[in-house]
Amino acid sequence: MSVERRPAFYALGPGGWRDYVTLLHLPYTLWHLSYVAIGAALAPELDAERLLWGLAAFALALGVGAHALDELHGRPLHTAIPRLVLIWLAASSLVAAVAIGIGAALAWTLWLLPFVAAGAFLVPAYALELLGGVFHTDLWFGLAWGAFPVLVAYLGAAETLRPEAFLAAVFALAMSLAQRSLSTAVRTVRRRVIQVEGTLRYRDGHEDVLDADRLTRAPEAALRALSVGMVALALALVWMQLA
């Protein structure tokens, strides 16, 4: 069966403002921003202003910057956003995120500075597959988009790192690796496979046609559920702290 599908389950129809919404990878961006909220909410005290600055920095760096660079590198989402616009979005968002990080370090704790530097490197290194793609692996995805936001948010809130921060980072790493495993399988079908043929035969003699929908339905349902669940968990922890 011929496969003609959108490049991602969250992708809107091509063209105009819809391309910019698609670029944000909203379910995944909200998922990883949840790690920021979880990290901050686990600190002994949660300052709402610090949380908001952390969310803003990661929304810029990850939600806009990394995704703009990713689209610049091979157009995986097939948007028609001009190349110069993608460059401007990536550069301006990363500069703004770094500025927020430096300001937070000067205001709260200088221990944030190494994390700011690491984030400024990891975003282009991962998205553009620099150094031969050594940082574009499942493990680095889990570390950079999962563990890293938790640790930075906790450090920004508590001005130190305690065992609960590292345990939560392991949780975020594991969840990000699960996300990566599911999304890689889906992306392969949506973006690289042009035809699917096959039949599933059951012991009772029943048969089902194997097609692209069959291959993507379960992992995409899991990705949707996990993204909603992660946001709900983050909101619950923040609510508990601020209430």
Side-chain angles (χ1 to χ4, degrees):
M1 183 178 295
S2 179
V3 179
E4 293 183 7
R5 301 170 62 80
R6 293 179 181 176
F9 70 86
Y10 49 82
L12 303 182
W17 62 269
R18 294 182 296 275
D19 280 351
Y20 292 89
V21 175
T22 296
L23 182 72
L24 294 176
H25 299 60
L26 283 176
Y28 294 158
T29 295
L30 292 174
W31 184 332
H32 292 281
L33 288 180
S34 295
Y35 295 144
V36 178
I38 290 170
L42 288 175
E45 294 183 10
L46 175 60
D47 183 289
E49 183 178 358
R50 295 191 183 195
L51 171 60
L52 291 175
W53 279 118
L55 289 170
F58 276 96
L60 287 165
L62 192 156
V64 179
H67 292 150
L69 289 174
D70 189 50
E71 185 65 3
L72 193 63
H73 186 65
R75 298 281 178 171
L77 293 177
H78 306 162
T79 72
I81 301 172
R83 178 179 176 84
L84 287 178
V85 173
L86 289 172
I87 293 173
W88 180 84
L89 285 172
S92 60
S93 61
L94 287 176
V95 167
V98 168
I100 291 173
I102 293 174
L106 295 176
W108 307 332
T109 172
L110 294 179
W111 286 111
L112 282 171
L113 287 177
F115 288 90
V116 174
F121 169 76
L122 284 172
V123 168
Y126 179 86
L128 297 177
E129 300 184 36
L130 301 181
L131 303 177
V134 66
F135 292 99
H136 195 85
T137 65
D138 291 356
L139 178 59
W140 276 107
F141 175 83
L143 291 171
W145 302 153
F148 185 78
V150 171
L151 293 175
V152 172
Y154 188 99
L155 179 60
E159 301 184 11
T160 188
L161 291 174
R162 297 188 176 94
E164 62 267 25
F166 293 102
L167 290 171
V170 172
F171 162 78
L173 169 62
M175 291 299 100
S176 296
L177 291 176
Q179 174 195 352
R180 177 80 167 180
S181 179
L182 292 168
S183 63
T184 297
V186 168
R187 286 198 310 272
T188 298
V189 176
R190 283 187 173 271
R191 301 178 188 179
R192 298 176 59 190
V193 173
I194 61 172
Q195 188 169 335
V196 177
E197 294 180 352
T199 303
L200 297 174
R201 295 186 176 88
Y202 298 90
R203 294 181 184 276
D204 62 2
H206 177 70
E207 293 185 356
D208 279 338
V209 174
L210 183 64
D211 56 15
D213 285 335
R214 183 80 183 219
L215 292 175
T216 60
R217 189 181 305 125
E220 287 184 346
L223 287 167
R224 289 188 180 95
L226 285 168
S227 64
V228 172
M230 204 62 64
V231 172
L233 174 61
L235 289 173
L237 292 174
V238 171
W239 181 274
M240 179 183 68
Q241 278 279 36
L242 295 181

